Each structure stands twice: as structure tokens, then as C-alpha cells.
Amino acid sequence: MNLQLFIAFISCFFIALFITPLVSYLAKKIGAVDKPNKRKVHSEVKPRLGGLAIYVAFLAGLFLLPIDNHTTTFIFLSTLIIVITGVLDDMYELSAKQKLLGQFLSAFVLIYGEFVIDYITIPYFGLVELQLMSIPLTLLWFIGLINAINLIDGLDGLAGGVSTIALSTILIMAIGKEQILVIMLCVIVTGSTLGFLFFNFYPAKIFMGDTGSQLLGLLIALISISGFFKSVTFLSLFVPIMILGVPFMDTTFAILRRLVNKQKWSQPDKSHLHHRLLARGFSHPKTVLMIYGISIFFSVLAFAFSLSTLEESFFLFLLLLVTIELAAEFLGLMGQKKPLTHFLTGFLAPHKKKP
């Protein structure tokens, strides 16, 4: 199995590496390009659709490994739907409702294939069957993660790098628990993403586009359900959320910010974490590296959280909240000068450019 995993990883990496330039050429030919505007940070027209290279490499890995036919079939159908949605969006810029429809369909295929969060184990209460809540909760998890990864895809190498850090953390945990399916999926998704990142690091030659960010969000959500939600306690449900702390944090504040400012939930803005760091004077590469560092911190904390007792978990969770507040103050993300309210008001406040 170790040799098979190694071969699958190398194969996915090199397939993505060699196909990405071809996808870049295709994107330019069909007009799937990202043009600069006041919300974007790049100043040149760049091809998107890079997620297509990740997808082709991922499919190769999916069929290389001994994954059962049921799992392979439903993953293939679901990812095909999300990739088609992403390709159409990268070419024609679909409306939020049209993108959401594609996300729902891809999620429902996996739910129909029985990839669901069906129970949790609560301390002092034992195993709790979710029953009627199982499908809505699973659907929320899929849609939430797809859009969380999509929202952080704003700088060269950011979404791919954060996803790789998260997948590597999940892989380490899965190896310890001998979760074979999770291990196999992590290996091929990581290999495919790293091959693409060779062309996506600053200065990027191609963007992954919605094709890539939605695909990665869907796959990470699937991997989490196949691992964390099948044999964990209630407190451990926070582990995948902590591993994906950056996209979850950014998405949560984006939703709150738009509610407070009475904007549409789908309306884009320039107040995401990476925009704020850039506005504070950090360069493009330094901003990406800083967010990588934050992602690694969240991953380490999640790993410690997964091994801790009930009392230690509460302490680590408190540490996480305090650290977020201190980091926000250090990075100048606060809007007020009152402790513990800085972080929230800093993100909710309308973004102001430096004079």
C-alpha cells in the first residue's frame, strides 16, 4: 500500500505539472481569463481554469488506487458536476444562484452515496443519531466548505497552499487512526494541488479559478466526513473547523460584515483577511506566507485538540480565541480600541484605503 500511495502521489503531481500549461493555453483560447478590476489585486490579465489540471490529475489518482467502485462512482459524478459549474463560471461568470445550484447538486450526489454526518458522540450522553438533521447538516458542511475555500482564493498560491496544509494535517491524523480511504484521498488531492501550485505561486502564471477552489472545497469536505465525522466525539467535531481556521474565520466575518452593512450575502468586497494585510503594507508574497503560518498554527492546535482531554480541550479553545484576538491586534485588524471587541469590529467596519 505504501508503494501504491507513493506512485499515486508522484503520478498526480507530475500530471498536474505537465497539464497546467496546456490548461493555461486552453483558458486563453476560450476566454476563461481573469481581468483586473478595483476588487482584484493583480494588474494583468491572467488565465484561470487551473482547477481543471488539478481535476485531471486527481481523477488519475482516483483510478490508480484500490478505492471501491461505489466510492469512486459517486466521487467522480459529484466532482464532475462541481468542475462543470466551475468551468462555466470561469468562462461566463455565473450568478450566485447558478453557482449555488451546481454546489447543491454535487453535494446531493455524495449524500445520495451515503457520505453523510449521521451521528455524533456527546460527552456524558453517548452516541446521538442525527436522523432527520443528518442531511441538512451534511449539506451545510459541503456548501460551507466549498464557499469558504472559494472566498480565500484571492492571492497567488493562497487557496492551494492553505488547502495543502489542511490536507497534510488530516493525512497525519488519518495515518494514526488507519483510515485508509482518507489517507488515499489526501495523498492524491495533495499531489494534484502541489503540481498545480508550481505555476500558481507568486507571480502566478495561472489562477485555479472557481473550477479549482470549489473542487478543493468539495473534496476537503468529503475527506472530513469520511474521517472526522465517522468515529469522533462532539468536541472533536471542532478539529476540522480548526484545521480550516483561516477559510472558516474569513467566511464567518464576511457573512457578518455583509449583514451588518446590509449588503447581499454574495456581494464581494475588499475586506477579507488577505486584503487587510495588503492594506497594512505587507507585500503579496509576505501576506501569503503569513496566512500559511496562521494555517499551520491552527493545524497544530487542532492536532493537540484531538489528543486532549475534555478539560484540556476547553483550555485550548480558550487559547485559540485569545490568540485570534492578539494576532488581530498585532496585525492591525481592529476597528476600535477596546480589548476583545477589536477583532469583530475591525472586520465588520467598512474597509478604508490608506490616504
Side-chain angles (χ1 to χ4, degrees):
M1 174 58 73
N2 290 339
L3 180 59
Q4 284 181 302
L5 290 171
F6 177 75
I7 292 172
F9 176 84
I10 294 298
S11 298
C12 290
F13 176 83
F14 280 107
I15 289 172
L17 190 68
F18 290 125
I19 286 182
T20 299
L22 299 178
V23 171
S24 178
Y25 176 80
L26 173 65
K28 293 174 184 177
K29 280 292 184 181
I30 65 176
V33 295
D34 203 318
K35 298 177 181 179
N37 60 39
K38 62 181 180 180
R39 192 176 63 86
K40 307 277 177 72
V41 298
H42 60 92
S43 57
E44 299 177 1
V45 175
K46 298 275 187 179
R48 42 193 180 189
L49 209 69
L52 194 58
I54 298 175
Y55 184 54
V56 172
F58 166 75
L59 286 183
L62 189 66
F63 291 106
L64 272 174
L65 291 173
I67 300 175
D68 65 90
N69 290 334
H70 173 273
T71 300
T72 300
T73 299
F74 282 99
I75 290 178
F76 171 73
L77 292 174
S78 175
T79 53
L80 181 62
I81 293 171
I82 203 69
V83 166
I84 290 173
T85 303
V87 169
L88 291 174
D89 186 54
D90 287 338
M91 292 177 63
Y92 306 112
E93 297 190 4
L94 302 179
S95 68
K97 290 181 180 178
Q98 289 171 327
K99 288 167 65 175
L100 195 59
L101 175 62
Q103 294 169 7
F104 268 100
L105 289 174
S106 63
F108 271 121
V109 168
L110 289 173
I111 290 171
Y112 185 76
E114 299 182 347
F115 294 95
V116 294
I117 306 168
D118 44 18
Y119 66 86
I120 57 175
T121 306
I122 302 178
Y124 311 118
F125 288 92
L127 188 143
V128 177
E129 297 284 350
L130 293 175
Q131 297 180 351
L132 294 178
M133 288 300 297
S134 177
I135 291 177
L137 183 60
T138 304
L139 185 61
L140 180 64
W141 180 254
F142 275 120
I143 301 300
L145 251 180
I146 290 170
N147 286 286
I149 300 299
N150 184 244
L151 282 176
I152 64 165
D153 185 28
L155 296 180
D156 299 354
L158 183 56
V162 169
S163 297
T164 299
I165 292 169
L167 287 164
S168 299
T169 307
I170 296 172
L171 175 61
I172 293 170
M173 293 184 178
I175 291 172
K177 296 179 181 179
E178 298 183 349
Q179 296 173 324
I180 304 302
L181 176 61
V182 176
I183 292 170
M184 290 191 290
L185 291 176
C186 281
V187 165
I188 59 178
V189 178
T190 302
S192 303
T193 306
L194 286 175
F196 166 75
L197 279 173
F198 185 83
F199 298 94
N200 188 235
F201 283 124
Y202 182 84
K205 296 179 177 65
I206 183 173
F207 298 151
M208 69 168 60
D210 272 29
T211 307
S213 60
Q214 291 189 122
L215 173 65
L216 287 177
L218 177 72
L219 289 173
I220 293 172
L222 168 64
I223 290 168
S224 300
I225 288 175
S226 301
F228 294 108
F229 294 105
K230 291 300 180 182
S231 59
V232 297
T233 64
F234 176 73
L235 284 175
S236 294
L237 295 178
F238 291 106
V239 172
I241 296 174
M242 292 170 73
I243 291 173
L244 293 154
V246 169
F248 268 113
M249 179 179 67
D250 204 31
T251 301
T252 300
F253 282 112
I255 293 170
L256 292 174
R257 185 168 61 244
R258 290 161 192 175
L259 285 174
V260 169
N261 295 320
K262 297 180 180 179
Q263 298 173 325
K264 290 183 179 180
W265 66 271
S266 58
Q267 183 174 333
D269 59 35
K270 290 197 71 171
S271 293
H272 292 287
L273 176 59
H274 55 275
H275 290 130
R276 291 301 179 103
L277 289 172
L278 289 171
R280 292 296 175 181
F282 294 102
S283 68
H284 192 133
K286 285 184 178 179
T287 296
V288 173
L289 290 175
M290 288 181 69
I291 297 177
Y292 282 178
I294 296 170
S295 297
I296 292 171
F297 168 77
F298 277 127
S299 291
V300 171
L301 198 62
F303 187 75
F305 193 87
S306 68
L307 300 175
S308 62
T309 62
L310 184 62
E311 293 76 14
E312 291 169 343
S313 296
F314 283 118
F315 171 76
L316 288 172
F317 190 71
L318 179 62
L319 174 64
L320 175 63
L321 294 178
V322 172
T323 303
I324 289 175
E325 166 64 16
L326 293 175
E329 290 191 39
F330 174 74
L331 296 173
L333 299 175
M334 319 308 185
Q336 303 291 334
K337 294 185 178 180
K338 295 181 180 180
L340 299 179
T341 61
H342 293 189
F343 192 53
L344 181 59
T345 56
F347 268 92
L348 295 182
H351 176 62
K352 294 182 180 180
K353 292 184 178 180
K354 284 187 173 182

